[in-house]
Amino acid sequence: MDGLPRERELPFGSNSVQHGTAVFEGIRMYAAPAGPALFRLDAHLQRLLDSAALLGIPHAYDLDALRRHVRDAAAGSGLDSAYVRPVLYTREARLGVNLQDFRFTLGTEIWALPADDTPPRPLRVTVSPWCRPSRSSFAVRAKATGTYVVSALARTRAAADGFDDAVQLDPDSGRVAESTIANVFLVRDGRLVTPWLEDSVLAGITRDTVLTLAGDLGIETSEAPVLPGDLLAADEVFLTGTASGLVPVAGLDTRTYPAVRPVTDALGRAYRRAVLGDGPHRPSWLTPVSRPTPSTSRL
Ligand SMILES: Cc1ncc(COP(=O)(O)O)c(C=O)c1O
Protein backbone atom coordinates (compact mmCIF):
# COMPACT_ATOMS: atom_id res chain seq x y z
CA MET A 1 0.00 0.00 0.00
CA ASP A 2 1.13 3.56 -0.65
CA GLY A 3 2.20 5.65 2.28
CA LEU A 4 3.71 2.86 4.39
CA PRO A 5 7.20 3.67 5.67
CA ARG A 6 9.04 1.23 3.38
CA GLU A 7 7.20 2.64 0.35
CA ARG A 8 8.41 6.13 1.17
CA GLU A 9 12.07 5.11 1.01
CA LEU A 10 12.93 5.88 -2.57
CA PRO A 11 15.57 3.86 -4.45
CA PHE A 12 18.51 6.18 -5.11
CA GLY A 13 18.35 5.39 -8.82
CA SER A 14 14.65 6.32 -9.04
CA ASN A 15 13.93 8.47 -12.06
CA SER A 16 12.19 10.97 -9.74
CA VAL A 17 15.42 11.37 -7.72
CA GLN A 18 17.76 11.39 -10.71
CA HIS A 19 15.73 13.70 -12.97
CA GLY A 20 13.26 15.49 -10.67
CA THR A 21 10.37 13.81 -12.46
CA ALA A 22 7.52 14.15 -9.95
CA VAL A 23 4.58 16.45 -9.30
CA PHE A 24 3.39 17.41 -5.87
CA GLU A 25 1.13 19.56 -3.70
CA GLY A 26 1.53 21.34 -0.39
CA ILE A 27 -1.65 21.36 1.72
CA ARG A 28 -2.24 22.71 5.23
CA MET A 29 -4.07 20.84 7.94
CA TYR A 30 -5.35 23.30 10.56
CA ALA A 31 -6.64 22.63 14.05
CA ALA A 32 -10.08 24.13 13.41
CA PRO A 33 -12.49 24.45 16.35
CA ALA A 34 -14.63 21.65 14.87
CA GLY A 35 -11.57 19.37 14.58
CA PRO A 36 -8.56 19.05 12.27
CA ALA A 37 -9.34 19.97 8.67
CA LEU A 38 -7.51 20.18 5.35
CA PHE A 39 -7.80 23.61 3.73
CA ARG A 40 -8.98 23.62 0.10
CA LEU A 41 -8.10 19.96 -0.35
CA ASP A 42 -9.97 19.45 -3.63
CA ALA A 43 -8.43 22.52 -5.27
CA HIS A 44 -4.96 21.19 -4.42
CA LEU A 45 -5.74 17.67 -5.61
CA GLN A 46 -7.24 18.97 -8.85
CA ARG A 47 -4.02 20.94 -9.42
CA LEU A 48 -2.03 17.73 -8.77
CA LEU A 49 -4.07 15.94 -11.45
CA ASP A 50 -3.59 18.90 -13.81
CA SER A 51 0.18 18.94 -13.16
CA ALA A 52 0.39 15.22 -13.97
CA ALA A 53 -1.65 15.71 -17.15
CA LEU A 54 0.50 18.67 -18.26
CA LEU A 55 3.67 16.59 -17.94
CA GLY A 56 2.15 13.40 -19.40
CA ILE A 57 2.69 11.48 -16.14
CA PRO A 58 0.76 8.18 -16.22
CA HIS A 59 -1.01 7.15 -12.99
CA ALA A 60 -4.12 5.38 -11.75
CA TYR A 61 -5.66 7.99 -9.42
CA ASP A 62 -8.82 10.01 -9.74
CA LEU A 63 -9.90 12.83 -7.44
CA ASP A 64 -11.73 10.44 -5.08
CA ALA A 65 -8.73 8.14 -4.71
CA LEU A 66 -6.39 11.07 -4.06
CA ARG A 67 -8.82 12.50 -1.48
CA ARG A 68 -9.04 9.15 0.37
CA HIS A 69 -5.28 8.70 0.36
CA VAL A 70 -4.50 12.18 1.67
CA ARG A 71 -7.26 12.15 4.31
CA ASP A 72 -6.09 8.74 5.56
CA ALA A 73 -2.47 9.86 5.68
CA ALA A 74 -3.42 13.06 7.51
CA ALA A 75 -5.60 11.20 10.01
CA GLY A 76 -2.94 8.54 10.54
CA SER A 77 -0.26 11.11 11.29
CA GLY A 78 -1.74 11.74 14.73
CA LEU A 79 -1.28 15.46 14.12
CA ASP A 80 -3.92 18.16 13.93
CA SER A 81 -1.79 21.00 12.57
CA ALA A 82 0.55 20.04 9.76
CA TYR A 83 1.92 20.57 6.27
CA VAL A 84 0.79 17.69 4.06
CA ARG A 85 2.61 16.93 0.83
CA PRO A 86 1.23 14.34 -1.61
CA VAL A 87 3.72 13.50 -4.36
CA LEU A 88 3.18 11.55 -7.57
CA TYR A 89 6.58 9.97 -8.16
CA THR A 90 8.17 6.95 -9.73
CA ARG A 91 10.17 4.35 -7.81
CA GLU A 92 11.54 2.88 -11.03
CA ALA A 93 15.32 3.05 -11.22
CA ARG A 94 15.68 3.20 -14.98
CA LEU A 95 17.25 5.77 -17.25
CA GLY A 96 15.14 7.64 -19.78
CA VAL A 97 13.00 10.75 -20.04
CA ASN A 98 9.82 9.46 -21.64
CA LEU A 99 7.53 9.59 -18.63
CA GLN A 100 5.06 7.19 -20.26
CA ASP A 101 7.66 4.46 -19.73
CA PHE A 102 7.37 4.75 -15.93
CA ARG A 103 4.75 3.82 -13.36
CA PHE A 104 3.94 6.68 -11.00
CA THR A 105 2.54 6.22 -7.52
CA LEU A 106 1.34 8.45 -4.72
CA GLY A 107 3.12 9.01 -1.43
CA THR A 108 2.38 11.62 1.22
CA GLU A 109 4.92 13.27 3.50
CA ILE A 110 3.66 15.12 6.57
CA TRP A 111 5.45 17.67 8.73
CA ALA A 112 4.10 18.91 12.05
CA LEU A 113 3.41 22.64 11.84
CA PRO A 114 2.18 23.88 15.21
CA ALA A 115 -0.58 26.51 15.13
CA ASP A 116 0.86 30.02 15.34
CA ASP A 117 -1.44 33.00 15.77
CA THR A 118 1.28 35.63 15.56
CA PRO A 119 1.24 37.60 12.28
CA PRO A 120 4.24 36.65 10.10
CA ARG A 121 7.42 38.77 10.11
CA PRO A 122 7.55 41.17 7.14
CA LEU A 123 10.19 40.12 4.60
CA ARG A 124 12.86 42.05 2.73
CA VAL A 125 12.94 40.90 -0.88
CA THR A 126 14.97 41.61 -4.01
CA VAL A 127 14.28 41.29 -7.73
CA SER A 128 16.22 38.19 -8.74
CA PRO A 129 18.51 38.00 -11.77
CA TRP A 130 17.07 34.48 -12.19
CA CYS A 131 13.75 34.51 -14.06
CA ARG A 132 10.95 31.95 -13.83
CA PRO A 133 10.97 29.28 -16.56
CA SER A 134 9.72 30.52 -19.91
CA ARG A 135 6.26 29.43 -21.02
CA SER A 136 7.97 28.20 -24.18
CA SER A 137 10.30 25.86 -22.29
CA PHE A 138 8.11 24.51 -19.49
CA ALA A 139 4.46 23.85 -18.64
CA VAL A 140 4.49 26.61 -16.05
CA ARG A 141 1.07 25.70 -14.55
CA ALA A 142 2.54 22.38 -13.37
CA LYS A 143 3.85 22.14 -9.81
CA ALA A 144 6.77 19.88 -10.62
CA THR A 145 9.66 18.84 -8.41
CA GLY A 146 12.40 19.62 -10.95
CA THR A 147 11.41 23.27 -11.41
CA TYR A 148 12.15 24.03 -7.78
CA VAL A 149 15.83 24.14 -8.70
CA VAL A 150 14.91 27.47 -10.34
CA SER A 151 13.41 28.66 -7.03
CA ALA A 152 16.48 27.36 -5.18
CA LEU A 153 18.81 29.35 -7.46
CA ALA A 154 16.91 32.57 -6.84
CA ARG A 155 16.42 32.06 -3.09
CA THR A 156 20.04 31.02 -2.49
CA ARG A 157 21.31 34.06 -4.35
CA ALA A 158 18.87 36.37 -2.50
CA ALA A 159 19.98 34.99 0.87
CA ALA A 160 23.65 35.48 -0.06
CA ASP A 161 22.80 39.11 -0.86
CA GLY A 162 21.15 39.57 2.56
CA PHE A 163 17.46 39.27 1.54
CA ASP A 164 14.75 36.94 2.82
CA ASP A 165 13.36 36.10 -0.60
CA ALA A 166 13.32 37.14 -4.26
CA VAL A 167 10.71 38.26 -6.75
CA GLN A 168 11.25 36.54 -10.10
CA LEU A 169 10.33 37.93 -13.50
CA ASP A 170 8.77 36.33 -16.54
CA PRO A 171 11.73 35.85 -18.95
CA ASP A 172 9.74 36.72 -22.08
CA SER A 173 7.80 39.77 -20.93
CA GLY A 174 10.16 41.08 -18.21
CA ARG A 175 7.12 41.49 -15.96
CA VAL A 176 6.77 40.40 -12.35
CA ALA A 177 5.78 36.73 -12.09
CA GLU A 178 6.00 35.50 -8.50
CA SER A 179 8.44 34.91 -5.66
CA THR A 180 10.41 31.68 -5.22
CA ILE A 181 7.63 29.79 -3.43
CA ALA A 182 4.72 32.23 -3.35
CA ASN A 183 2.53 34.55 -5.41
CA VAL A 184 2.89 38.32 -5.24
CA PHE A 185 0.24 40.98 -4.55
CA LEU A 186 0.48 44.76 -4.50
CA VAL A 187 -1.87 47.39 -3.14
CA ARG A 188 -2.09 50.81 -4.78
CA ASP A 189 -4.67 53.42 -3.74
CA GLY A 190 -6.64 50.73 -1.87
CA ARG A 191 -6.87 48.45 -4.93
CA LEU A 192 -5.39 44.94 -4.96
CA VAL A 193 -3.39 43.73 -7.98
CA THR A 194 -1.67 40.41 -8.65
CA PRO A 195 0.24 39.33 -11.80
CA TRP A 196 -2.08 37.76 -14.37
CA LEU A 197 -1.70 34.13 -15.33
CA GLU A 198 -0.52 35.08 -18.85
CA ASP A 199 2.98 35.34 -17.38
CA SER A 200 5.03 32.50 -15.85
CA VAL A 201 3.00 32.19 -12.66
CA LEU A 202 1.78 29.20 -10.67
CA ALA A 203 -1.98 29.54 -10.17
CA GLY A 204 -1.70 29.58 -6.37
CA ILE A 205 -4.59 28.30 -4.29
CA THR A 206 -3.83 30.96 -1.66
CA ARG A 207 -3.81 33.57 -4.44
CA ASP A 208 -7.31 32.45 -5.36
CA THR A 209 -8.41 32.42 -1.71
CA VAL A 210 -7.11 35.95 -1.16
CA LEU A 211 -8.85 37.25 -4.32
CA THR A 212 -12.11 35.73 -3.05
CA LEU A 213 -11.68 37.15 0.47
CA ALA A 214 -10.85 40.57 -0.97
CA GLY A 215 -14.12 40.45 -2.93
CA ASP A 216 -15.97 39.62 0.30
CA LEU A 217 -14.36 42.65 1.96
CA GLY A 218 -15.35 44.94 -0.91
CA ILE A 219 -11.74 45.47 -2.02
CA GLU A 220 -11.34 46.06 -5.76
CA THR A 221 -9.11 43.38 -7.29
CA SER A 222 -7.44 42.78 -10.62
CA GLU A 223 -5.20 40.17 -12.22
CA ALA A 224 -3.05 42.26 -14.52
CA PRO A 225 0.41 42.65 -16.06
CA VAL A 226 2.72 43.94 -13.30
CA LEU A 227 6.04 45.66 -13.99
CA PRO A 228 8.88 45.76 -11.44
CA GLY A 229 8.25 49.52 -11.26
CA ASP A 230 4.63 48.86 -10.22
CA LEU A 231 5.91 46.93 -7.22
CA LEU A 232 8.28 49.77 -6.29
CA ALA A 233 5.45 52.31 -6.55
CA ALA A 234 3.02 50.23 -4.47
CA ASP A 235 1.73 51.23 -1.04
CA GLU A 236 1.76 47.64 0.21
CA VAL A 237 3.19 44.36 -1.11
CA PHE A 238 2.63 40.86 0.23
CA LEU A 239 3.28 37.24 -0.72
CA THR A 240 0.85 34.33 -0.58
CA GLY A 241 1.42 30.60 -0.30
CA THR A 242 -0.01 27.58 1.46
CA ALA A 243 2.97 27.06 3.76
CA SER A 244 3.14 30.55 5.22
CA GLY A 245 -0.22 32.10 4.32
CA LEU A 246 -0.13 35.82 3.69
CA VAL A 247 3.26 37.43 4.42
CA PRO A 248 3.85 41.21 4.28
CA VAL A 249 6.86 42.57 2.39
CA ALA A 250 8.81 45.20 4.36
CA GLY A 251 10.92 46.31 1.44
CA LEU A 252 11.96 45.59 -2.15
CA ASP A 253 15.64 46.27 -2.85
CA THR A 254 16.13 49.95 -1.89
CA ARG A 255 12.37 50.66 -1.43
CA THR A 256 10.94 50.43 2.10
CA TYR A 257 7.14 50.18 2.35
CA PRO A 258 5.12 51.96 5.02
CA ALA A 259 4.83 49.95 8.24
CA VAL A 260 1.07 50.59 8.26
CA ARG A 261 -0.57 48.06 5.92
CA PRO A 262 -4.36 48.32 6.18
CA VAL A 263 -5.25 46.08 3.21
CA THR A 264 -2.60 43.43 3.95
CA ASP A 265 -3.66 43.31 7.61
CA ALA A 266 -7.39 43.06 6.82
CA LEU A 267 -6.77 40.24 4.35
CA GLY A 268 -4.35 38.51 6.74
CA ARG A 269 -7.05 38.50 9.44
CA ALA A 270 -9.67 37.23 6.98
CA TYR A 271 -7.30 34.49 5.83
CA ARG A 272 -6.49 33.33 9.35
CA ARG A 273 -10.24 33.13 10.06
CA ALA A 274 -11.00 31.31 6.81
CA VAL A 275 -8.47 28.52 7.38
CA LEU A 276 -10.16 27.77 10.71
CA GLY A 277 -13.58 27.56 9.09
CA ASP A 278 -14.82 30.94 10.25
CA GLY A 279 -16.52 32.55 7.27
CA PRO A 280 -18.91 32.02 4.38
CA HIS A 281 -16.75 29.54 2.44
CA ARG A 282 -16.52 26.87 5.10
CA PRO A 283 -18.49 24.04 3.47
CA SER A 284 -16.31 23.83 0.40
CA TRP A 285 -12.97 25.00 1.80
CA LEU A 286 -12.53 22.73 4.81
CA THR A 287 -12.33 18.94 4.61
CA PRO A 288 -12.58 17.40 8.09
CA VAL A 289 -9.97 14.82 9.07
CA SER A 290 -11.20 12.21 11.51
CA ARG A 291 -9.53 12.40 14.90
CA PRO A 292 -6.45 10.18 14.79
CA THR A 293 -6.44 6.90 16.65
CA PRO A 294 -3.29 4.79 17.21
CA SER A 295 -4.66 1.93 15.07
CA THR A 296 -4.85 4.15 11.96
CA SER A 297 -1.29 5.49 12.26
CA ARG A 298 0.59 5.08 8.97
CA LEU A 299 3.67 7.17 9.59
C1 LIG B 1 6.47 28.94 -7.27
C2 LIG B 1 5.25 29.04 -6.41
N1 LIG B 1 4.35 30.00 -6.66
C3 LIG B 1 3.24 30.13 -5.92
C4 LIG B 1 3.00 29.28 -4.85
C5 LIG B 1 1.75 29.47 -4.03
O1 LIG B 1 0.83 28.44 -4.31
P1 LIG B 1 -0.24 27.98 -3.25
O2 LIG B 1 -0.91 29.19 -2.76
O3 LIG B 1 -1.13 27.08 -4.01
O4 LIG B 1 0.51 27.28 -2.15
C6 LIG B 1 3.89 28.27 -4.55
C7 LIG B 1 3.62 27.37 -3.44
O5 LIG B 1 4.28 26.40 -3.21
C8 LIG B 1 5.05 28.14 -5.34
O6 LIG B 1 5.95 27.19 -5.09
Side-chain angles (χ1 to χ4, degrees), residues 25-26 44 47 83 132 143 148 151 178-183 202-207 240-243:
E25 275 302 318
H44 281 285
R47 190 171 64 184
Y83 183 74
R132 298 306 296 168
K143 192 167 168 65
Y148 278 75
S151 297
E178 56 188 339
S179 82
T180 57
I181 54 164
N183 292 111
L202 187 74
I205 312 290
T206 320
R207 175 184 183 276
T240 62
T242 297

Side-chain angles (χ1 to χ4, degrees), residues 77-135:
S77 72
L79 300 167
D80 60 5
S81 187
Y83 183 74
V84 178
R85 176 164 284 186
V87 185
L88 266 174
Y89 66 100
T90 180
R91 304 178 55 76
E92 292 183 45
R94 279 184 290 111
L95 293 174
V97 289
N98 179 356
L99 299 181
Q100 296 286 325
D101 291 342
F102 295 87
R103 201 174 62 90
F104 281 75
T105 188
L106 189 73
T108 298
E109 184 63 85
I110 300 186
W111 288 270
L113 212 54
D116 182 4
D117 279 347
T118 52
R121 178 179 67 85
L123 304 180
R124 293 209 68 86
V125 304
T126 182
V127 176
S128 180
W130 294 108
C131 292
R132 298 306 296 168
S134 166
R135 295 189 69 150

Side-chain angles (χ1 to χ4, degrees), residues 3 9 11 66 82 92 131 211 235:
E9 279 169 26
L66 292 179
E92 292 183 45
C131 292
L211 288 170
D235 305 318

